Amino acid sequence: MSASLPGNRELPESQYDLSTYWGRVKQTATITDPRTLLAGKHGLEQAKKLVVAYKQGEIKEMTPELWKAKKIVDSTLHPDTGEPVLLPFRMSCFALSNLVVTVGMLTPGLKTTGTVLWQITNQSLNVAINYANANKSSPLSYSKIAQSYFLAVSASCSVAVGLNSIVPRLKRLSPSTKLVLGRLVPFAAVASAGVLNVFLMRGEEMRTGIDVFPVLSEADKARLTKEGKAENDVPSLGKSRKAATLAVSETALSRVFNSTPIMVVPPLILVRLQRTEWLKKHPRFTMPINLGLILGMSYLALPFALAAFPQRQRISADNLEEEFHGRGGEGGMVVFNRGI
């Protein structure tokens, strides 16, 4: 993010009002825009130069070109480290990275071996995305990552294989109902394992806490500027386990919000379409239609899911551990990076 670049003059956080859900949706849509992936290394360096020029006072006002540069920087750099997130694991690549895996999991008539292999692939991708976008103030050891990975894979495979074996045995249900339930099995597996994956991969944050910072008033920001300091020069108030638990819980919920329309809507539409005479006569179009439904729903759902909670989350210092009481900034508030 732009805050991790040098300079004592911070850019406006967004063009939109991030205190509102719709404002966060529009902001998230810019961060998840896949066109930022085309910037490449040269485009990123040019964007960073523009942002640094503004932060060092060389550029006086925000311009459309500068907003575009901020968009590239915010969608590429990790807010804690200032380093580029590996391309396949950026939120701007999320829909594309998940496309093949989601299509695989939602393939009609998938057998046990296929179900297990696609669940393993999905959880492998989830682990990589969760690790790449986690709060880095409490890094996870490789042994913990491995442990979290195997637990998440075991959970997703158990749910998927278990439900696949249970649904056909439900004798009171009609064949059409069984068909619909069978298509929704991947959603149950992905949702349950996805939540578990987030909590496991970011469990170290909840055990040790994450950095929290005082919310700065305009007077505080002006004082820092006079002193030649930037907002990211303000030291952490300490590590809070309560803030970490809130951050991880909100991230887990946003993953469920994201997977629900992607894993539920396309298979239900496809079931309906497969009953039409046209698709019965042209079954070769089943895969392209499934692909289009999943990709379209992925791009539509992602901004709405990620915007459910602010990435820079504010909370009253008095709601955290006792050591933070009375130490908040403006309005007694502190702020922390929730992660994505």
Side-chain angles (χ1 to χ4, degrees):
M1 290 235 171
S2 57
S4 61
L5 296 177
N8 56 19
R9 180 183 175 217
E10 295 299 330
L11 278 75
E13 193 171 3
S14 174
Q15 292 175 279
Y16 312 108
D17 181 4
L18 299 185
S19 65
T20 67
Y21 175 64
W22 186 241
R24 293 197 299 274
V25 168
K26 291 190 284 187
Q27 170 66 10
T28 306
T30 66
I31 295 175
T32 58
D33 186 346
R35 291 175 296 180
T36 59
L37 299 171
L38 302 175
K41 187 175 181 180
H42 175 73
L44 175 60
E45 290 304 317
Q46 291 298 113
K48 287 167 66 176
K49 285 180 182 178
L50 277 175
V51 169
V52 170
Y54 178 90
K55 294 184 72 172
Q56 294 180 343
E58 297 171 20
I59 298 177
K60 302 303 179 184
E61 296 180 352
M62 294 297 292
T63 63
E65 187 180 15
L66 189 52
W67 279 117
K68 182 179 179 181
K70 184 180 186 298
K71 173 180 175 178
I72 292 172
V73 168
D74 286 351
S75 66
T76 305
L77 302 186
H78 193 284
D80 291 333
T81 65
E83 296 296 323
V85 175
L86 195 62
L87 190 145
F89 310 137
R90 296 174 194 168
M91 286 297 111
S92 52
C93 197
F94 187 90
L96 295 175
S97 297
N98 276 273
L99 179 61
V100 175
V101 177
T102 306
V103 170
M105 289 189 294
L106 294 179
T107 300
L110 207 59
K111 303 300 181 183
T112 300
T113 301
T115 297
V116 170
L117 289 176
W118 279 117
Q119 289 296 331
I120 290 174
T121 304
N122 181 55
Q123 291 308 316
S124 300
L125 180 61
N126 281 346
V127 165
I129 291 174
N130 288 337
Y131 178 76
N133 293 281
N135 184 298
K136 297 299 184 183
S137 63
S138 297
L140 201 63
S141 67
Y142 288 116
S143 62
K144 290 290 185 182
I145 293 174
Q147 181 184 12
S148 301
Y149 170 71
F150 286 113
L151 285 172
V153 166
S154 300
S156 64
C157 291
S158 299
V159 172
V161 173
L163 290 179
N164 274 333
S165 64
I166 290 173
V167 170
R169 299 175 186 175
L170 301 175
K171 297 179 180 180
R172 295 184 180 181
L173 300 179
S174 65
S176 60
T177 303
K178 289 182 182 179
L179 176 63
V180 170
L181 289 177
R183 296 289 179 89
L184 295 180
V185 165
F187 163 67
V190 167
S192 56
V195 170
L196 180 63
N197 195 313
V198 171
F199 276 97
L200 290 172
M201 283 298 298
R202 299 182 59 180
E204 193 65 23
E205 296 176 32
M206 294 188 290
R207 283 187 287 272
T208 63
I210 59 175
D211 288 324
V212 296
F213 302 86
V215 172
L216 301 178
S217 65
E218 292 302 319
D220 293 329
K221 294 176 183 179
R223 177 176 53 77
L224 286 173
T225 301
K226 286 184 179 180
E227 294 174 356
K229 296 180 180 179
E231 290 181 32
N232 58 359
D233 291 327
V234 176
S236 165
L237 295 175
K239 291 184 181 292
S240 167
R241 290 186 297 276
K242 288 186 177 181
T245 301
L246 177 62
V248 175
S249 300
E250 289 181 348
T251 300
L253 276 175
S254 71
R255 293 298 169 82
V256 175
F257 295 156
N258 184 57
S259 64
T260 299
I262 297 171
M263 302 296 291
V264 171
V265 176
L268 293 182
I269 293 177
L270 191 62
V271 166
R272 191 67 178 266
L273 291 175
Q274 285 178 317
R275 293 172 181 167
T276 63
E277 290 299 323
W278 182 83
L279 199 54
K280 287 179 181 178
K281 292 179 180 178
H282 305 88
R284 65 183 182 276
F285 290 112
T286 300
M287 181 58 75
I289 290 173
N290 196 24
L291 198 69
L293 287 171
I294 292 171
L295 184 61
M297 188 55 63
S298 296
Y299 278 119
L300 181 64
L302 187 59
F304 288 92
L306 294 183
F309 308 102
Q311 184 177 357
R312 296 282 294 174
Q313 181 68 282
R314 295 187 179 197
I315 187 173
S316 171
D318 293 339
N319 290 335
L320 299 180
E321 292 86 346
E322 190 173 349
E323 64 186 279
F324 298 104
H325 292 184
R327 297 177 61 197
E330 186 177 32
M333 305 292 283
V334 296
V335 64
F336 56 87
N337 172 33
R338 175 175 65 83
I340 297 180

